[in-house]
């Protein structure tokens, strides 16, 4: 059974996995764990690259328990086997993976603090979502999944960034081309791109979201005062 979808939001921690009980051979990590109340069955969890699969074998001969792989198989016993295997997977994820889905945690933060609901862009930009300040309806944040090369980093694959508005002097102070970059696809004087991954300083990211919200809100107040004049 394939559980590779965990890698969409989590990173595998090799040292933690070995401490948990995984055996490493080459680049493959394998864990065999007996399943409670299943009459001698064990789950075999295999992690290789960004793939995680689970199979079930009969001990002591390690013969595959075929019904585990048959989606249409029903019955109290096979349901029990699946439940215990899923319990093991949840425990493995909790102890051997890091929740790297920083976007979801920051979205929860702005929803709770400002009542902001994310706005997804057109299908062509399905990995983008925006945050709007309540009064002005202007953006104060933009989440994007972009190629590393868009940040002028010589690295294959994609990465996650958050664009926020900031004071120009702070932008110049922060940019290090490691965690902070000139704003991708936006005004580089007033906006900055923050790299989002397992090393993200969440307190700093939240502070910069707060500052961005305040700057956009302030610009709206100035605009309303000019209209009144």
């Amino acid at each position: 059974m394939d559980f590779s979808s965990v890698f969409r939001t989590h990173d595998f921690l090799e040292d933690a996995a070995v401490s948990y009980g995984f055996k490493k051979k080459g680049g493959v990590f394998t864990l065999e764990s007996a399943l409670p109340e299943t009459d001698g069955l064990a789950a075999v969890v295999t992690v290789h690259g960004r793939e995680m699969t689970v199979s079930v074998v009969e001990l002591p001969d390690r013969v595959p328990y075929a019904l585990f792989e048959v989606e249409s198989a029903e019955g109290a016993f096979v349901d029990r086997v699946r439940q215990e295997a899923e319990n093991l997977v949840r425990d493995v994820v909790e102890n051997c993976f890091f929740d790297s889905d920083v976007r979801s945690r920051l979205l929860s933060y702005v929803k709770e603090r400002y009542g902001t609901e994310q706005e997804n862009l057109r299908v062509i930009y399905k990995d983008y979502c925006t945050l709007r300040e309540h009064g002005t309806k202007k953006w104060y944040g933009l989440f994007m999944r972009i190629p590393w090369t868009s940040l002028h980093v010589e690295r294959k694959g994609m990465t996650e960034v958050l664009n926020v508005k900031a004071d120009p002097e702070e932008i110049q102070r922060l940019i290090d081309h490691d965690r902070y970059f000139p704003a991708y696809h936006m005004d580089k004087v007033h906006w900055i791109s923050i790299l989002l991954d397992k090393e993200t300083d969440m307190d700093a990211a939240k502070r910069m979201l707060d500052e961005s919200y305040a700057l956009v809100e302030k610009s709206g107040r100035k605009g309303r005062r000019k209209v009144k004049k």
Side-chain angles (χ1 to χ4, degrees):
M1 190 174 291
D2 188 14
F3 288 89
S4 301
S5 60
V6 67
F7 286 100
R8 295 175 186 168
T9 56
H10 291 70
D11 290 329
F12 186 59
L13 303 175
E14 296 186 1
D15 290 343
V18 171
S19 297
Y20 186 85
F22 276 84
K23 305 297 182 184
K24 181 180 180 181
K25 186 175 182 179
V28 181
F29 292 80
T30 306
L31 171 75
E32 184 173 301
S33 179
L35 297 176
E37 301 180 31
T38 58
D39 295 334
L41 298 182
V44 180
V45 183
T46 303
V47 178
H48 183 204
R50 294 186 67 80
E51 296 180 354
M52 180 166 74
T53 58
V54 179
S55 59
V56 174
V57 297
E58 300 178 22
L59 299 176
D61 298 326
R62 305 187 79 257
V63 177
Y65 176 66
L67 288 180
F68 179 71
E69 303 291 345
V70 180
E71 292 185 8
S72 60
E74 298 180 351
F77 183 74
V78 70
D79 287 347
R80 176 70 181 179
V81 172
R82 289 190 180 119
Q83 184 61 58
E84 291 299 336
E86 290 174 4
N87 290 343
L88 175 61
V89 169
R90 278 194 291 270
D91 198 58
V92 166
V93 171
E94 182 177 343
N95 289 279
C96 306
F97 284 78
F98 174 82
D99 182 357
S100 59
D101 191 4
V102 180
R103 179 191 290 203
S104 65
R105 285 181 278 166
L106 291 175
L107 286 172
S108 296
Y109 172 74
V110 296
K111 182 176 182 179
E112 181 178 350
R113 186 170 179 83
Y114 302 111
T116 302
E117 296 284 353
Q118 70 183 70
E119 295 183 17
N120 295 317
L121 299 184
R122 294 172 297 179
V123 175
I124 192 172
Y125 297 115
K126 62 183 179 180
D127 289 330
Y128 290 27
C129 76
T130 65
L131 308 173
R132 292 184 188 271
E133 190 271 325
H134 178 71
T136 63
K137 306 301 181 186
K138 293 182 178 180
W139 293 1
Y140 71 93
L142 171 63
F143 289 93
M144 297 177 286
R145 187 163 179 77
I146 61 176
W148 276 103
T149 52
S150 296
L151 298 174
H152 302 287
V153 174
E154 294 302 319
R155 180 172 171 180
K156 295 180 179 179
M158 308 285 286
T159 191
E160 183 98 3
V161 298
L162 166 64
N163 281 7
V164 293
K165 196 169 188 178
D167 179 82
E169 291 185 3
E170 183 178 16
I171 289 174
Q172 292 303 313
R173 180 179 62 80
L174 286 173
I175 287 178
D176 57 8
H177 299 279
D178 180 36
R179 309 300 309 172
Y180 299 94
F181 296 83
Y184 171 70
H185 210 55
M186 295 182 77
D187 171 14
K188 292 175 172 50
V189 175
H190 297 96
W191 290 78
I192 187 170
S193 290
I194 307 169
L195 185 66
L196 301 182
D197 61 14
K198 62 183 180 181
E199 297 179 6
T200 297
D201 183 331
M202 292 298 291
D203 290 336
K206 290 175 182 178
R207 175 183 59 78
M208 294 191 72
L209 277 167
D210 291 339
E211 291 176 358
S212 184
Y213 187 96
L215 286 169
V216 174
E217 184 181 45
K218 183 178 179 181
S219 70
R221 288 199 299 268
K222 286 182 178 179
R224 287 192 292 273
R225 282 199 297 270
K226 288 181 181 179
V227 170
K228 288 180 182 179
K229 291 180 180 179

